[in-house]
Amino acid sequence: MADVVQSVEVTVRFFAAARAAAGTESDRLTVRPGASVADVVNELGSRSEELARVLQRCSFLRDGVAVRDKATELHPGQTLDVLPPFAGG
Protein backbone atom coordinates (compact mmCIF):
# COMPACT_ATOMS: atom_id res chain seq x y z
CA MET A 1 0.00 0.00 0.00
CA ALA A 2 1.49 3.35 -1.04
CA ASP A 3 1.83 6.18 1.42
CA VAL A 4 -0.63 8.98 0.84
CA VAL A 5 1.08 12.36 0.74
CA GLN A 6 -0.67 14.66 3.20
CA SER A 7 1.38 17.75 2.48
CA VAL A 8 4.15 19.02 0.26
CA GLU A 9 7.09 21.02 1.60
CA VAL A 10 8.76 23.45 -0.79
CA THR A 11 11.50 26.02 -0.35
CA VAL A 12 10.83 29.55 -1.57
CA ARG A 13 13.82 31.80 -2.21
CA PHE A 14 13.32 35.55 -2.57
CA PHE A 15 15.60 37.87 -4.55
CA ALA A 16 16.08 41.66 -4.65
CA ALA A 17 12.81 43.58 -4.04
CA ALA A 18 10.98 40.33 -3.26
CA ARG A 19 13.50 39.62 -0.50
CA ALA A 20 12.98 43.10 0.94
CA ALA A 21 9.18 42.75 0.83
CA ALA A 22 9.25 39.25 2.35
CA GLY A 23 11.73 40.28 5.02
CA THR A 24 13.68 37.06 4.51
CA GLU A 25 15.97 35.34 2.03
CA SER A 26 14.03 32.09 2.01
CA ASP A 27 11.11 30.28 3.57
CA ARG A 28 9.86 26.71 3.74
CA LEU A 29 6.16 26.29 3.04
CA THR A 30 3.95 23.31 3.60
CA VAL A 31 1.12 23.16 1.07
CA ARG A 32 -1.51 20.62 0.07
CA PRO A 33 -0.66 17.94 -2.50
CA GLY A 34 -1.37 19.26 -5.99
CA ALA A 35 -0.69 22.88 -4.97
CA SER A 36 0.43 25.10 -7.82
CA VAL A 37 2.81 28.02 -8.11
CA ALA A 38 -0.29 30.27 -8.05
CA ASP A 39 -1.38 28.71 -4.74
CA VAL A 40 2.01 29.49 -3.19
CA VAL A 41 1.98 33.03 -4.61
CA ASN A 42 -1.50 33.60 -3.13
CA GLU A 43 -0.41 32.28 0.26
CA LEU A 44 2.70 34.46 0.27
CA GLY A 45 0.71 37.51 -0.87
CA SER A 46 -1.67 37.11 2.05
CA ARG A 47 1.23 37.90 4.40
CA SER A 48 1.49 41.58 3.48
CA GLU A 49 0.19 44.09 0.96
CA GLU A 50 3.72 45.06 -0.02
CA LEU A 51 4.69 41.45 -0.76
CA ALA A 52 1.44 40.89 -2.69
CA ARG A 53 2.20 43.96 -4.82
CA VAL A 54 5.75 42.82 -5.57
CA LEU A 55 4.65 39.25 -6.38
CA GLN A 56 2.30 40.54 -9.11
CA ARG A 57 5.33 41.66 -11.12
CA CYS A 58 7.64 38.70 -10.40
CA SER A 59 8.69 35.77 -12.49
CA PHE A 60 9.32 32.35 -10.98
CA LEU A 61 11.73 29.46 -11.39
CA ARG A 62 10.84 25.94 -10.25
CA ASP A 63 14.08 24.06 -9.60
CA GLY A 64 15.88 26.49 -11.92
CA VAL A 65 13.38 26.24 -14.81
CA ALA A 66 11.21 29.23 -15.75
CA VAL A 67 7.56 28.84 -14.83
CA ARG A 68 5.42 29.88 -17.81
CA ASP A 69 2.11 28.80 -16.28
CA LYS A 70 1.34 29.53 -12.62
CA ALA A 71 -0.91 26.45 -12.63
CA THR A 72 2.32 24.41 -12.62
CA GLU A 73 2.16 21.88 -9.80
CA LEU A 74 4.79 21.79 -7.08
CA HIS A 75 6.26 18.55 -5.76
CA PRO A 76 7.92 17.70 -2.42
CA GLY A 77 11.39 19.15 -2.01
CA GLN A 78 11.21 21.56 -4.93
CA THR A 79 12.56 25.11 -4.79
CA LEU A 80 10.62 28.08 -6.09
CA ASP A 81 12.69 31.19 -6.82
CA VAL A 82 10.88 34.54 -6.79
CA LEU A 83 12.49 37.02 -9.17
CA PRO A 84 11.26 40.59 -9.43
CA PRO A 85 11.93 42.55 -12.64
CA PHE A 86 15.54 43.67 -12.75
CA ALA A 87 16.69 47.05 -14.03
CA GLY A 88 20.08 48.02 -15.26
CA GLY A 89 22.30 47.25 -18.13
Side-chain angles (χ1 to χ4, degrees):
M1 187 173 184
D3 291 334
V4 176
V5 176
Q6 298 295 325
S7 61
V8 172
E9 188 171 281
V10 295
T11 300
V12 181
R13 298 187 304 182
F14 301 96
F15 294 88
R19 180 185 306 162
T24 186
E25 224 173 83
S26 67
D27 198 356
R28 293 182 78 75
L29 289 181
T30 301
V31 295
R32 64 171 173 71
S36 67
V37 171
D39 294 326
V40 170
V41 170
N42 288 337
E43 183 173 328
L44 293 169
S46 71
R47 294 179 177 183
S48 80
E49 286 183 31
E50 180 184 1
L51 183 54
R53 187 173 35 78
V54 170
L55 289 170
Q56 290 176 357
R57 298 183 7 247
C58 288
S59 57
F60 304 91
L61 301 178
R62 183 184 67 169
D63 285 349
V65 178
V67 172
R68 303 282 181 222
D69 181 358
K70 288 185 186 172
T72 300
E73 189 174 318
L74 294 167
H75 302 285
Q78 288 191 312
T79 298
L80 184 67
D81 292 329
V82 181
L83 307 168
F86 291 97

